[in-house]
Amino acid sequence: MRKKKNVNEPIDTEGDINLSPRRLEWSKNNINTNSQKLLSEDSKYFLHQSLSTPCLNVLEASDGIYLEDLQGRKIMDFHGNSVHQVGHGNKRVIAAIKEQLDILPFCPRRYTNKVAIELAERLTSLAPGNLNKVLFAPGGTNAIGMALKLARYATGRHKTISMWDSFHGASLDAISIGGEKLFRKDVGPLMPGTEHIPPPTRGKCHFNCSDESHDGCINYLEYVIEMEGDIGALVAEPMRWTTVELPPPNYWTRVRDICTKNDVLLIFDEIPSALGRTGKMFVCEHFDVEPDMLVIGKGLGGGVFPMAALLANDALNVVEDKALGHYTHEKSSVGCAAALATIDCLMEDGLLDNAVTLGNSGLQELEALKLKHSIIHEVRGLGLFYGIDLRVDGKPASNEADAILYHSLSNGLSYKVGGGSILTLCPPLTINKDELTQAFNIIENGINSLN
């Protein structure tokens, strides 16, 4: 049996590290006896894994932008696993689910239902270009698997290109194309043919590109395609979600041209980023690029029901005699009702507009914060999703980011640390300006507490 890692050893991973000394100290100071008893019970029954069990805290309720723990403390949720675009416990979503439960609580796979058809029609009408075919799945990782299978069937080739540091899910096929060390390290042989290239980033990149053209990145992609010779698909996040990295201007239009020229399918993973968070329904709309497949999930179920979808170009409807997903809850009437209500909220309740206007003003607030604190190397964002890149002496400020995170948790604000030193802020789109400013103030207080 493999030995357990010493809890005092440093762990290089994402988010609040659930075995770190600072995490243990925070728990001792903030979790009462009653909550600790339940956490111990949770730890007893669930398999332990990084970033979850042992868990941070015990929740009692949620509403809007807030979580409430067992001790009655309200916590602004700027993490939410990216499912909470319309806020926790959205009344329209809950009502749609309750209504559907009384009508058709489950739809066996060999049947269809009106709600599933309506959702398919709605998504294809909103999606760019010719993404007119849909498959639903219980989660984003499942939908990524369907996209990979469809790419193999459609092209007759199994090889892929994806990005280092990307995340596409935690299953074996998804971590094979993914690039995060946490999920790949020590797991053994992964799927063959999964080639990786450095991710696009603005500013100086892996190839020392520093201008807007980033020819080194583009040339290397073309080189890999040429040398491999039989790439079937390129799988990528339009923007790197865990570190809030936007691509260089025109990067994706050039990649689209390269894929088309070489008969390589372009698959965009927008599982955490689609559905309004960036101010548009789909992130690829910001770059005027139409992929051959688009994978969405997380917030599609309104923060209540696990729901994901694969949207594909009409021309890829070529495998009617084979199974791509075949999931038991493939056309869940309840999940589709939740998704339709979610889309209605985004379109009718002004949430897309809020993501744009409040997103822009929030970025201005963070720029002002950057001028006051030298530890802030850069702030960046798109819509209501922000990254605060912390550095000391030009190096990632991982220890400081960890300290600021736990200070924020102690003062009612939850978020994720990406890439070890980037505070990633992902609030519900229902948030207002005062609440957003309050969250920024908590973060600034955390920065001040370092001195």
Side-chain angles (χ1 to χ4, degrees), residues 101-147:
L101 284 171
D102 286 334
I103 299 171
L104 182 66
F106 174 72
C107 180
R109 189 176 54 244
R110 65 173 58 184
Y111 297 94
T112 190
N113 58 84
K114 293 179 181 179
V115 193
I117 296 169
E118 185 180 351
L119 177 60
E121 188 279 329
R122 186 82 64 90
L123 287 173
T124 56
S125 68
L126 292 170
N130 294 311
L131 297 174
N132 294 325
K133 294 295 182 182
V134 180
L135 274 182
F136 299 137
T141 300
N142 307 128
I144 285 290
M146 296 192 306

Side-chain angles (χ1 to χ4, degrees), residues 15-44:
D16 52 300
I17 301 167
N18 57 337
L19 297 178
S20 70
R22 186 174 279 124
R23 166 76 168 259
L24 299 175
E25 182 67 19
W26 183 89
S27 296
K28 185 172 71 174
N29 295 330
N30 289 274
I31 303 299
N32 66 15
T33 302
N34 190 31
S35 294
Q36 189 57 61
K37 181 180 178 181
L38 283 173
L39 287 170
S40 296
E41 287 293 296
D42 182 275
S43 183
K44 176 182 176 181

Side-chain angles (χ1 to χ4, degrees), residues 83-339:
V83 308
H84 60 343
Q85 281 94 323
V86 297
H88 292 293
N90 184 282
K91 289 181 172 53
R92 187 185 294 201
V93 173
I94 297 296
I97 290 173
K98 286 181 176 179
E99 179 181 4
Q100 194 58 45
L101 284 171
D102 286 334
I103 299 171
L104 182 66
F106 174 72
C107 180
R109 189 176 54 244
R110 65 173 58 184
Y111 297 94
T112 190
N113 58 84
K114 293 179 181 179
V115 193
I117 296 169
E118 185 180 351
L119 177 60
E121 188 279 329
R122 186 82 64 90
L123 287 173
T124 56
S125 68
L126 292 170
N130 294 311
L131 297 174
N132 294 325
K133 294 295 182 182
V134 180
L135 274 182
F136 299 137
T141 300
N142 307 128
I144 285 290
M146 296 192 306
L148 294 175
K149 290 169 70 176
L150 180 54
R152 290 188 178 199
Y153 286 135
T155 68
R157 303 186 294 275
H158 74 279
K159 288 185 180 180
T160 60
I161 296 176
S162 49
M163 311 291 179
W164 289 118
D165 293 328
S166 64
F167 179 74
H168 299 291
S171 62
L172 199 60
D173 54 354
I175 67 171
S176 295
I177 61 168
E180 284 195 7
K181 180 171 65 175
L182 168 67
F183 295 92
R184 296 169 60 90
K185 186 179 180 182
D186 298 331
V187 78
L190 299 173
M191 287 201 316
T194 53
E195 306 298 328
H196 289 74
I197 63 174
T201 181
R202 293 185 180 179
K204 192 173 182 180
C205 72
H206 178 82
F207 297 99
N208 292 318
C209 303
S210 57
D211 58 0
E212 289 192 351
S213 66
H214 277 251
D215 288 332
C217 303
I218 295 296
N219 291 341
Y220 185 66
L221 171 61
E222 291 186 298
Y223 174 76
V224 173
I225 291 175
E226 179 184 354
M227 294 304 292
E228 289 294 335
D230 55 353
I231 300 293
L234 187 152
V235 188
E237 304 165 284
M239 63 178 290
R240 292 174 62 202
W241 201 244
T242 57
T243 54
V244 200
E245 293 275 2
L246 291 166
N250 300 318
Y251 177 86
W252 286 121
T253 55
R254 298 174 74 187
V255 171
R256 172 71 274 182
D257 290 342
I258 291 168
C259 288
T260 301
K261 182 178 69 175
N262 291 278
D263 195 26
V264 173
L265 298 177
L266 178 60
I267 303 173
F268 274 156
D269 177 352
E270 296 195 13
I271 293 167
S273 56
L275 302 171
R277 174 145 330 268
T278 63
K280 294 182 181 292
M281 285 297 291
F282 305 102
V283 181
C284 60
E285 294 179 90
H286 289 280
F287 311 119
D288 295 321
V289 171
E290 178 191 340
D292 299 293
M293 290 186 240
L294 183 62
V295 184
I296 62 175
K298 287 192 179 287
L300 184 59
V304 181
F305 202 91
M307 194 70 188
L310 167 64
L311 288 81
N313 189 292
D314 260 333
L316 296 177
N317 188 31
V318 294
V319 289
E320 63 182 17
D321 60 332
K322 300 178 178 68
L324 293 172
H326 229 261
Y327 293 108
T328 300
H329 293 271
E330 184 175 299
K331 293 180 181 176
S332 167
S333 49
V334 178
C336 291

Side-chain angles (χ1 to χ4, degrees), residues 351-418:
L351 300 189
L352 287 170
D353 291 338
N354 198 45
V356 174
T357 57
L358 191 53
N360 290 335
S361 65
L363 195 57
Q364 292 174 359
E365 287 190 61
L366 290 179
E367 290 285 0
L369 194 66
K370 175 180 177 290
L371 295 176
K372 295 169 60 178
H373 300 280
S374 60
I375 193 174
I376 301 178
H377 168 73
E378 184 181 34
V379 296
R380 48 188 182 262
L382 189 61
L384 274 169
F385 186 56
Y386 308 105
I388 304 176
D389 190 344
L390 304 179
R391 299 188 190 182
V392 174
D393 297 328
K395 297 179 180 179
S398 299
N399 184 60
E400 290 80 1
D402 197 47
I404 295 168
L405 170 66
Y406 284 104
H407 181 279
S408 296
L409 287 168
S410 299
N411 288 275
L413 175 64
S414 173
Y415 51 82
K416 180 180 177 180
V417 177

